[in-house]
Amino acid sequence: MRAAIKMKWNSVIMSISSAGRTRNGWSLVFSWVLACFSVGAAAADIESLTQALPLAQAYTYGADGAALDYIREAVVQAQTDDGARTALADTLASLLSDSASTDEFKAFVCRQLYLIGGEGQIDELLPLLLNPDLAHMARYALEVMPSSKVDELLWSAIPSVDGTVAAGLVSSLAARGGVGAPAHLSQLLLHDNDVVVRAAIIGLGRLGGPSVELALRHAHATLPESLHTEILASLLACADHYGESGNRSEATRLYKELMAPELPEVTRIGAFHGLVAVQGDLAVPVVLERLVSGEAAWIAAALSCVRTAGTSVATEYFSAALAQLNDEMKVVLIDALADRADPVAIGGVIEAFESLVGPVQLAALHALGTLGNETHVPLLVDVLMGDDEERAQVAGESLRNMADLGVNAALLQLLDGSGPATQVALMDILAARRVRAAVPQLLQTAGEESGEVREGAFKAIGQLAVMEELPAVFERYLLMDSEDSRKMASRALVAIGRRALPGEARSAMFTEMYGVAPSSITRGALLAVYRELGDDSFLPLVTEALNSSDSLEHQFGFDALVGWPTATPRDAVLALAGETDVEAKRIAALEGYIRMLRLPGKPSVDASLAGLQDVLKLSKDAELVRHVLSVLSELEGPTALSLAESFLGREEVHEAAARAAEKIRSHFYTATASVHGEQAAHMIDGEINTKWDGGESQVAGQWIALDMSLPARIKGIELDNSRDVTRFPKAYEVYVFDRGAPPGEPVAKGVGVEGKTRISFSPVTGQVIRVVQTGSTSEPGWSVQEFRVIPD
């Protein structure tokens, strides 16, 4: 595609050479462009520039932009070929004066000329400068064109346009920074339009230089005070220009003048920042002077400079100043020095810590996290193990944050010989710092120590060790001589395994461990590790343990299988429940099976029902039945409802069965209402933020009804409007009856209450529940967010 385009553009360029740079010549070029250029990438229906340009000329906002997309692609491709670029730019520019071109298209052309335009398109852009709707787009294209002609056109157009457009032209002149720009903008300081004057002032600030400074000084002395803010800001910009150009003496002079007490504080603070930037270390006395000024704005400015100004020489001065400050200022200066992150400040910070003033010590401890090194580890550890909880927390954070590599070695050195509590704290710090080099020492500690130290060591090992170190961790696991210690070690094995990517390598390493474990106890503990990891590749080892003649190993295998975290062994667990003669094991297996029915990859509704029925055939234990009913309540259909209702007559599980039956039945509920029936379904959608609304007033005779689809025995209902507590029924009657039958006598009468109106009555069987409003009030109206049934 691009090769074909380039060939066509070569033809255009040859045409340019023969036609010459005349209007007639450009007409010929234009015809060549229309005839030859074809992109075809932006829109399938546009095959050439001949098609695209007329469509684009008629473009208005919101219309199909396919033609514009086609031209954009042409612009992108033309940028790599000077001839093609010029030809396309001239073609587009020539359409700016075409009456068929919309303003939207002209704005689009300006954006393209920003990319490919040049001196040849200046004349076509000039008329747009006089159009308030397009002047800003024309300036957008002209600002980047490196031609003094642009400066002349921008300047000459200013008298012909209104203030807003003129201000934009002034801004463009300043942005271009041409040779004549300072003189032109200085003349505009006398313009009769304040908008233009402000633009000239701001533009002069962008240009900088001695002549600009002189013009701005004169303006400050002669122009109204309402313009002084802009003038002072531009004088600050002039000082910045001096500094950026290397003229530090002039910058210093001007910044100092702009810090004069009679000037606005915002100007003085800006000049202060500039002065510190150009003077560096020499500005330290000025910064310290402002730091103790007692004025919040100046203190904030000084602290900002403390964080960034000068070199280590300045850091040394700032650090030394700590001793001369009150406690409050010490805290803020220490924080600023911490942000500066120059270790030269450490002497002053340590001296401040030794002052024993609480807030100062906390600031110093925090700063050590940035400034400290290995020599400060003992100090921080002492504070970490001290009685002051707040100081200990900050010391711990600093130990975790210190970047100096020597800190790791210092922590490891302290680990040996410290007391148990200190060892545990240090191991936590090492783990947080990700000091993997600590693993060998931690393994040794885990073997030699006991209790909380051993537990802390294995916890850190779990956080730091990688799969390559798994054999060493397993070796330590094998040497553990108590159940508690094996649990500690197994938790480390699990943590290491979880951080590794599941796959053949991980499975192989853990499987190999099982083969060399010397006893049923160690193998059993490994099975618990496999269960925690949930890697199905370990299931054959679990099955092997189940078939073992060793009763202990068999029990470990049983526990691992019924507690497996995926649904893969679901059928095997059910079979296991059917095979065992021990009731406790049967119930445990069935509980595991029920849990697996809810895991990802759960079976269909019919398969789940069949599985639950299989469970109930194997055991009628009350707690197990409650578990079955809990799962059953999540299913739908008459079979699930029938199974739940079959337990209503069993007293110890009656309540769970009633809840499950009502929840299953709720899937088939239908709600209706005498008014706003379209909202009735909101009462049974399970969403408390939706509601049925009876209107602004309550009228006797209004009703809502719930058809439960099947007859049910119930003992109450609940009308929930807890999101709109005042809109309860003023008075009500409740009817329960069969579908198609007359309502009969009410089963309950009463008045509503705020939030939730719970209505209880003697158990009754029916299919339809109707609540009739028997009271009247103009406000508030009646609403129900949720209509709940209380089964018997």
Side-chain angles (χ1 to χ4, degrees):
M1 169 65 76
R2 292 187 182 274
I5 292 170
K6 188 170 182 179
M7 290 177 64
K8 291 184 178 182
W9 275 114
N10 286 338
S11 298
V12 173
I13 295 164
M14 290 176 64
S15 168
I16 294 171
S17 299
S18 61
R21 299 296 296 268
T22 65
R23 285 294 169 190
N24 290 336
W26 281 123
S27 297
L28 178 59
V29 172
F30 184 44
S31 66
W32 267 97
V33 171
L34 293 177
C36 298
F37 196 87
S38 174
V39 178
D45 296 337
I46 299 176
E47 298 181 353
S48 70
L49 208 59
T50 308
Q51 287 180 275
L53 286 172
L55 293 172
Q57 281 185 269
Y59 174 78
T60 56
Y61 289 127
D64 184 359
L68 302 187
D69 291 339
Y70 187 94
I71 296 170
R72 283 192 193 94
E73 177 64 17
V75 167
V76 171
Q77 295 183 25
Q79 289 188 70
T80 58
D81 187 315
D82 290 342
R85 176 184 176 128
T86 300
L88 183 55
D90 279 319
T91 297
L92 293 173
S94 69
L95 298 176
L96 291 173
S97 59
D98 192 327
S99 60
S101 298
T102 63
D103 280 358
E104 290 89 341
F105 173 68
K106 292 176 182 178
F108 167 78
V109 168
C110 290
R111 287 192 291 272
Q112 308 317 304
L113 292 179
Y114 173 86
L115 299 173
I116 62 171
E119 189 170 0
Q121 291 79 51
I122 293 175
D123 290 340
E124 281 83 359
L125 288 165
L126 175 60
L128 272 60
L129 291 176
L130 307 179
N131 183 335
D133 295 327
L134 292 170
H136 64 294
M137 291 308 304
R139 290 193 296 107
Y140 177 73
L142 287 167
E143 274 187 18
V144 297
M145 294 182 181
S147 171
S148 60
K149 183 178 180 180
V150 173
D151 298 316
E152 296 169 6
L153 290 175
L154 292 171
W155 173 247
S156 63
I158 290 175
S160 305
V161 295
D162 64 24
T164 303
V165 176
L169 298 176
V170 172
S171 177
S172 291
L173 277 169
R176 289 176 58 79
V179 174
H184 286 152
L185 268 59
S186 296
Q187 291 180 46
L188 292 174
L189 294 176
L190 301 175
H191 200 280
D192 57 3
N193 189 308
D194 277 357
V195 174
V196 176
V197 176
R198 289 180 193 277
I201 292 169
I202 295 168
L204 284 168
R206 298 172 68 179
L207 296 172
S211 64
V212 167
E213 182 189 346
L214 186 62
L216 289 171
R217 284 180 177 280
H218 180 71
H220 189 262
T222 59
L223 292 182
E225 189 174 339
S226 59
L227 296 169
H228 283 190
T229 298
E230 288 83 359
I231 295 170
L232 291 172
S234 288
L235 281 168
L236 274 174
C238 280
D240 293 341
H241 277 288
Y242 286 138
E244 291 163 5
S245 62
N247 194 342
R248 296 174 61 184
S249 62
E250 286 297 290
T252 299
R253 172 192 58 77
L254 186 50
Y255 282 133
K256 286 183 175 180
E257 291 182 21
L258 292 171
M259 289 177 63
E262 67 271 13
L263 294 180
E265 185 176 71
V266 65
T267 302
R268 295 164 61 209
I269 290 177
F272 167 74
H273 279 292
L275 179 66
V276 174
V278 297
Q279 286 198 319
D281 295 337
L282 297 176
V284 169
V286 180
V287 175
L288 293 176
E289 177 187 345
R290 300 302 177 179
L291 191 63
V292 297
S293 66
E295 300 177 52
W298 281 107
I299 292 172
L303 289 171
S304 175
C305 293
V306 169
R307 289 177 168 87
T308 59
T311 66
S312 290
V313 173
T315 306
E316 190 171 356
Y317 279 110
F318 292 141
S319 177
L322 281 168
Q324 310 303 319
L325 301 177
N326 62 36
D327 292 338
E328 183 179 357
M329 291 308 301
K330 281 180 181 177
V331 170
V332 295
L333 181 54
I334 289 171
D335 286 342
L337 287 169
D339 292 341
R340 187 177 178 87
D342 186 345
V344 171
I346 197 66
V349 170
I350 293 297
E351 186 177 338
F353 173 79
E354 293 170 350
S355 69
L356 302 181
V357 177
V360 176
Q361 284 196 321
L362 285 175
L365 289 170
H366 173 75
L368 285 175
T370 302
L371 305 174
N373 55 51
E374 71 272 15
T375 65
H376 305 108
V377 169
L379 183 154
L380 288 169
V381 171
D382 284 346
V383 177
L384 176 68
M385 304 311 298
D387 296 330
D388 189 314
E389 186 175 338
E390 186 177 14
R391 292 170 71 227
Q393 181 179 347
V394 176
E397 290 173 358
S398 289
L399 284 168
R400 291 177 178 87
N401 295 334
M402 289 167 71
D404 190 278
L405 295 179
V407 171
N408 295 341
L411 289 167
L412 286 170
Q413 186 175 358
L414 281 176
L415 187 60
D416 286 333
S418 296
T422 303
Q423 283 186 299
V424 172
L426 288 172
M427 288 185 285
D428 181 65
I429 297 293
L430 288 164
R433 289 178 63 84
R434 310 303 303 164
V435 185
R436 289 200 55 256
V439 172
Q441 192 168 338
L442 290 168
L443 284 169
Q444 182 178 344
T445 301
E448 296 173 353
E449 302 291 342
S450 60
E452 62 175 353
V453 176
R454 175 174 286 174
E455 184 175 6
F458 275 123
K459 179 182 176 183
I461 289 167
Q463 293 175 276
L464 295 173
V466 295
M467 285 299 294
E468 289 76 13
E469 293 164 314
L470 190 63
V473 180
F474 178 59
E475 183 180 347
R476 182 57 62 195
Y477 158 81
L478 293 177
L479 295 174
M480 295 297 100
D481 55 2
S482 70
E483 183 178 357
D484 285 345
S485 295
R486 279 190 293 273
K487 285 182 179 179
M488 295 175 193
S490 65
R491 284 195 289 269
L493 293 173
V494 170
I496 297 167
R498 282 179 174 164
R499 289 205 317 279
L501 291 174
E504 292 183 8
R506 188 184 78 162
S507 298
M509 290 189 75
F510 275 99
T511 300
E512 185 179 348
M513 287 161 46
Y514 190 80
V516 299
S519 67
S520 56
I521 290 178
T522 53
R523 287 192 295 275
L526 278 175
L527 291 173
V529 170
Y530 299 156
R531 182 188 64 201
E532 290 293 322
L533 292 175
D535 188 335
D536 289 346
S537 66
F538 300 138
L539 283 171
L541 297 177
V542 176
T543 302
E544 180 184 325
L546 275 169
N547 296 328
S548 173
S549 58
D550 185 314
S551 60
L552 188 58
E553 193 167 342
H554 171 83
Q555 184 62 48
F556 279 126
F558 178 90
D559 292 342
L561 190 68
V562 301
W564 204 254
T566 74
T568 304
R570 184 172 56 218
D571 294 339
V573 171
L574 182 62
L576 189 63
E579 294 167 2
T580 183
D581 295 327
V582 180
E583 181 65 11
K585 293 181 71 173
R586 178 182 297 112
I587 292 174
L590 292 174
E591 290 282 3
Y593 176 75
I594 296 169
R595 177 182 55 80
M596 290 178 183
L597 287 174
R598 291 172 135 165
L599 293 175
K602 58 187 179 182
S604 65
V605 172
D606 290 342
S608 293
L609 280 169
L612 293 174
Q613 289 168 328
D614 288 337
V615 168
L616 294 170
K617 289 175 186 176
L618 292 171
S619 177
K620 295 294 191 295
D621 174 79
E623 191 59 38
L624 186 72
V625 171
R626 291 189 191 95
H627 197 171
V628 168
L629 290 166
S630 175
V631 177
L632 198 61
S633 68
E634 299 171 2
L635 306 178
E636 298 181 18
T639 305
L641 179 60
S642 176
L643 184 57
E645 289 180 333
S646 70
F647 287 94
L648 289 172
R650 187 172 166 182
E651 185 176 353
E652 66 267 37
V653 297
H654 170 83
E655 186 175 348
R659 284 198 306 269
E662 195 277 329
K663 190 172 180 181
I664 296 168
R665 192 181 293 108
S666 70
H667 294 299
F668 308 101
Y669 285 174
T670 302
T672 53
S674 59
V675 293
H676 298 160
E678 74 282 358
Q679 300 175 7
H682 291 322
M683 294 188 290
I684 55 173
D685 62 5
E687 174 53 62
I688 195 65
N689 292 315
T690 62
K691 66 181 178 180
W692 166 81
D693 194 322
E696 295 183 357
S697 58
Q698 298 188 35
V699 179
Q702 285 181 341
W703 56 263
I704 55 175
L706 184 68
D707 188 330
M708 297 182 289
S709 298
L710 295 169
R713 186 170 175 82
I714 65 174
K715 61 180 180 181
I717 61 172
E718 183 178 78
L719 306 179
D720 188 343
N721 55 295
S722 53
R723 290 292 188 275
D724 199 356
V725 296
T726 63
R727 304 194 66 184
F728 53 86
K730 185 172 180 61
Y732 61 77
E733 292 179 348
V734 179
Y735 299 84
V736 180
F737 53 95
D738 292 330
R739 183 189 293 169
E745 295 297 316
V747 298
K749 298 180 180 180
V751 295
V753 297
E754 287 190 355
K756 296 179 182 179
T757 298
R758 190 178 179 90
I759 305 170
S760 300
F761 42 79
S762 298
V764 61
T765 299
Q767 181 172 327
V768 179
I769 307 168
R770 181 180 293 173
V771 182
V772 180
Q773 166 64 256
T774 58
S776 296
T777 180
S778 58
E779 61 178 22
W782 178 29
S783 71
V784 179
Q785 282 136 30
E786 287 297 307
F787 188 143
R788 301 188 184 98
V789 176
I790 304 171
D792 178 32

